[in-house]
Amino acid sequence: MRYVIVGTGAAGATAARTIKRMDRDGEVVIIGDERFFPYNRYLLTEFLSGAVSAAELFHTSEEFFEAMDIRLRKGQAVERVYPNDKTIRFAHNEVMSYDRLLIATGRSPSLGPVLRPYAKLIQRYYTFEDILLIQKRLPEVREVIVSGRGLSALDLIQGMYRVGKKITYITRGQAIDVSTVESHLMGDLDSALAEREINFVHDDRIVAIECVDNRYLVKTFQGKELWGDLVFAWDNYTPNVGCLRNTGIEVKTGILVDLRMRSSAPEVYAAGDCVEIYHPTLKNYWINFGWPNAVEQGRIAGKNMAGDNEEYQIHETTLFNILGKPLEARWWD
Amino acid sequence: MSETSDALFVAEPERAHLTSTDVLDRKWIDVNIPCKAACPVMTDVPGYIQAILEGDFETAYKINRRDNVFPHSLGRVCNRPCEPACRHGREGLGEPVAICHLKRASADFGYTPLDLEIVPNGKKVCVVGAGPAGLTAANDLAIKGYQVVVLEQYDEPGGMLRYGIPQFRLPYDVVAADVKSITDLGVEIRCNQRIDSEAQIELLKREYDAVILSGGCMLPSSVKLPGMDAHGFYWGLDFMMQANRELLNDIKLNKVVVIGGGFTAVDCTRTSYRLGASEITLAYRRTKDKMSAGEPEIDCMEEEGIEMEFLVSPVEILAKDGKVTGIRLVRNRLEEGKPVAIPGSEFVIECDAVIMAIGQTNEDLPGTKEVPEVNEVPQKDNFFLAGDFRNGSGTVIEACADGRKVARRAHQYLSGIKGYQDVVHIEEIKLDQLPRTREDDFIPLTTMPHIPVSERLAKNREVETGYTRELAQNEARRCYLCHYNFQIDIDRCIYCMACIDAMPVDCIKLAKDIDVGADGSLRYVSAAHWEEAQAITIDNDKCIRCGNCVRACPVDCISISKYTLETVEVE
Ligand SMILES: Cc1cc2nc3c(=O)[nH]c(=O)nc-3n(C[C@H](O)[C@H](O)[C@H](O)COP(=O)(O)OP(=O)(O)OC[C@H]3O[C@@H](n4cnc5c(N)ncnc54)[C@H](O)[C@@H]3O)c2cc1C
Ligand SMILES: Cc1cc2nc3c(=O)[nH]c(=O)nc-3n(C[C@H](O)[C@H](O)[C@H](O)COP(=O)(O)OP(=O)(O)OC[C@H]3O[C@@H](n4cnc5c(N)ncnc54)[C@H](O)[C@@H]3O)c2cc1C
Ligand code: SF4
Ligand code: SF4
């Protein structure tokens, strides 16, 4: 049995481990487009500000994959899935067949049609590679502009604050934009932001960015002109589902899966930040977010791929509770 | 075979060429010019793109005017079935050519009044409904010498081009320009004439040699939900028609929910935005990739800050004191691709307006139900049906195609010709006529300039501003010009492999054998070594029309020919 896993994040790495524990003789291949060994993505901000070391950031190494007999293919992107032929094709055109496939491609900050033309002027904040780039640029940076929804904006603001940068935060709403799932987890953010002397631009959005003498001029819908040495901006976090386009596998924004983490195509599973699942308490579809959920979904997908039949239980308490600390504590203590 | 109308539009320079009615040649076009094959009216796409490339916008316009009648309008609002079919969009080759934007450029820079010699034939045709279907039929019949009168119930012609599609996508003067080029042919349009009684229709059938009814889909598809009588509820089509008549400029919109996923729904959201609504949500029962509105419109909608909810269906409209206060929706799951409500998943979005844009349907006009289909065209004696009225709500280009089909049948009926036949013109091309180089393959898609989002509140200001001539020519360079067929004459080939050394991509193949299917499809049985090669062939699917192979061939055995299609009458 050949299990192929696309994505070396929390969900993918956990699934690989789980499958190998249940099916010793199964062949497990895990593929990731990042150049690095799987790492703890949620610690990136801590790593950037020097609070954790590289050793703490990386949770796997070459020895780990050897010992587990898991084949890691890093730095290789999967371009397309062919569910009818049970094959995948890499960006470098290699074709690989699978018996069971897990899509655990996570999500990425995405730019809507307004920001898209300025993609080259925007610094992404999502991967270890991004952090390495930012580290290189930081000495020349005094002021940063942040515009984006969700908790990750807070994480980024906190990171920039810790490394001593002046921050302008642009939000479409009156207050920081967090989703309904997230909002009840937040303490009194506004005052926390105020304490950090953040320049808060509300009810506004970026409509244009220019690069002038190595600095960035940001123009807003309300007509403001703001300057910064780095611009972080995104409209949404979008599941990475490009390799499923036109495959017939049902996708809403994320890959639609049932509670056993099965997609609409036979033998194709999905887990982690790339999936969308109906959440009865929220009465809404819900795109997974958060490390513990990704781990849990990866574990269940792995088990079911190896022949078990377990259902994922959605509980809100697992949303962001990390390192034993509630989220507010982690970011705002 | 009779004189064709194609030559009336675009005078081709007199070059030696062959005319073929062989199915294999006809099939070659479908397989090798995918954009043309995907277009309901088979527009000569590479023909007009090459004209733009050469800076001849006028010829580009005339080709479009001939094939799709409304180049100004379609260059803006066509749903573009050609683009997903374009070879440039295939795996690994990048984005499709911006065929539609180039059509607009052909009209923006190449518009010229037509100067056709029309010989009157003494017969009269009446068209009811001045939408794209009716006007295409009118155009085609006028060119054939008929005296055509179009009766239209509203005060201006254009159908949904004028009253459905908003001006920020399609300004009225643009529609008017297309309509004028039809009336210039002598077509008479009489507005404010509604035909809806049996007596009127019978009278027309007697007064005219033929009557074509193309009344479109003027009624919103109805569903019954509680609360629809409240103030603040609109049917999508009514909302658009009123807004386009400037009748909604004073309404107060704040939070709006639009139900639907088609052109009308998207236009309703964007029109609400321009009418001052601050929170607009589009709610659609399936997923985004199933929306029938075009991708560019959906992109613009997103730019304008409109939120989207997918996999939801309306349950009830909530109202207080006769005014809409919200809408109750239910979430769907997909069962084998079909949306099915999830029990217990109802939720409410608060709003002060609900716009239901779930489709349009035709009016029940007398005598239209009994019209039988004769070879795919609804015809009863001299009475014909065309466009959305007959096919259900569709797209502009489908309406044009249907208008053309019905006009051809009406002409056949009235003139006694036997029918129509496709002929393929195959013209030999010299190397110096080839404009393409390998560099052209790497030109990125030329994006359409837009007015900035901050200026989108002006209700009727067109959002897409059009390519400049330079941008259009740059985009035209991307086209592979799929109408060129490269062939190796195997009898003369000396298997020197010079072409293989010169090829820029994997375009020339060694084959053990070539299977030709009955329908003209070719299958190459490839040879691994050149010793076992029985044939050497050019894969027109891969060919980028650079001409390197022709230049390299020492025995001059590679020929280039251009394939164009024409439909002619059989007498
Ligand atoms: C700065 C930061 C702070 C965070 N803080 C927290 C926190 O405090 N608490 C919390 O719960 N969560 C936090 N998160 C979120 C958490 O890290 C994610 O929810 C989690 O990593 C999701 O795991 P995943 O396996 O689903 O996806 P990912 O970790 O994103 O892994 C997916 C991998 O697949 C790769 N991939 C994508 N497409 C392809 C392809 N086609 N071919 C090959 N590889 C592909 C991606 O590059 C990526 O490496 C934070 C995230 C960030 C960025
Ligand atoms: C809001 C909206 C946006 C759209 N956007 C697009 C788009 O972007 N791209 C696209 O391809 N398609 C779009 N469509 C669809 C497209 O406009 C139609 O499919 C097309 O116009 C149909 O053409 P038609 O000639 O059959 O009918 P219509 O355009 O509907 O024309 C019918 C004409 O007949 C007249 N008429 C009807 N009954 C009578 C009568 N009894 N007596 C006299 N006259 C009568 C009507 O007044 C009308 O002028 C859109 C439709 C709507 C409603
Ligand atoms: S490359 Fe040009 S001719 Fe070929 S399919 Fe695309 S638009 Fe048509
Ligand atoms: S013109 Fe000849 S060399 Fe150039 S792409 Fe076509 S087949 Fe290949």
Side-chain angles (χ1 to χ4, degrees), chain B residues 131-149:
Chain B
L135 290 175
T136 302
N139 173 76
D140 289 11
L141 290 167
I143 292 171
K144 285 280 154 211
Y146 294 88
Q147 184 194 337
V148 186
V149 174

Side-chain angles (χ1 to χ4, degrees), chain A residues 29-94:
Chain A
V29 184
I30 178 166
I31 305 157
D33 57 3
E34 295 191 65
R35 294 186 285 126
F36 311 99
F37 282 101
Y39 56 90
N40 292 313
R41 191 179 301 285
Y42 64 90
L43 290 179
L44 285 177
T45 301
E46 279 76 358
F47 176 78
L48 178 70
S49 60
V52 305
S53 66
E56 288 167 278
L57 183 68
F58 284 91
H59 63 84
T60 54
S61 63
E62 200 162 346
E63 293 74 46
F64 167 84
F65 287 100
E66 236 160 64
M68 292 293 291
D69 185 26
I70 295 171
R71 274 180 57 210
L72 170 69
R73 301 258 219 132
K74 57 186 171 64
Q76 303 182 6
V78 172
E79 189 143 301
R80 184 83 196 261
V81 174
Y82 298 90
N84 294 337
D85 307 344
K86 295 176 88 179
T87 56
I88 56 168
R89 189 167 53 75
F90 290 81
H92 58 266
N93 265 334
E94 178 189 343

Side-chain angles (χ1 to χ4, degrees), chain B residues 77 129 131-133 152-154 159-160 164 169 195 215 263 267 388 394 396:
Chain B
V77 302
E152 165 58 45
Q153 62 176 354
Y154 292 145
M160 289 306 171
R169 285 208 289 132
I195 304 297
F263 282 115
D267 282 340
D388 278 9
V396 178

Side-chain angles (χ1 to χ4, degrees), chain A residues 79-80 82 89 112-114 116 149 172 205 207 220-221 250-253 256 278 280 282-285, chain B residues 91 273 287 289-290 299 302-305 307 310-311 331-334 337 342 344-347 453-454:
Chain A
E79 189 143 301
R80 184 83 196 261
Y82 298 90
R89 189 167 53 75
V114 179
R116 220 174 284 148
R149 292 178 178 186
R172 290 193 187 204
R205 58 201 261 217
V207 292
T220 74
F221 191 84
E250 298 285 5
V251 169
K252 187 171 174 262
T253 304
L256 291 170
Y278 182 71
L282 296 172
K283 294 190 176 188
N284 197 350
Y285 282 91
Chain B
E91 248 173 62
Y273 175 75
T287 48
D289 54 319
K290 303 280 177 351
D299 257 10
E302 278 184 65
E303 279 179 357
E304 287 157 18
E307 299 284 338
F310 294 107
L311 292 179
R331 307 243 177 228
N332 297 326
R333 85 168 123 258
L334 290 171
I342 302 173
S345 67
E346 280 94 1
F347 67 104
V453 233
S454 46

Side-chain angles (χ1 to χ4, degrees), chain B residues 74 76-79 128-135 151-154 156-161 163-166 169 193-196 213-218 236-237 240 244 263-265 267 297 360 363 365 386-389 392-397 399:
Chain B
L74 282 164
R76 289 164 167 87
V77 302
C78 188
N79 70 317
V128 179
L135 290 175
L151 305 178
E152 165 58 45
Q153 62 176 354
Y154 292 145
E156 280 181 49
M160 289 306 171
L161 300 180
Y163 292 103
I165 302 175
R169 285 208 289 132
Q193 302 249 2
R194 183 171 159 84
I195 304 297
D196 55 5
L213 183 103
S214 50
C217 285
M218 307 301 293
L237 184 62
M240 286 312 302
N244 287 335
F263 282 115
T264 311
D267 282 340
E297 285 76 42
Q360 283 94 237
E363 268 185 274
L365 292 174
D388 278 9
F389 184 85
S393 94
T395 62
V396 178
I397 192 66

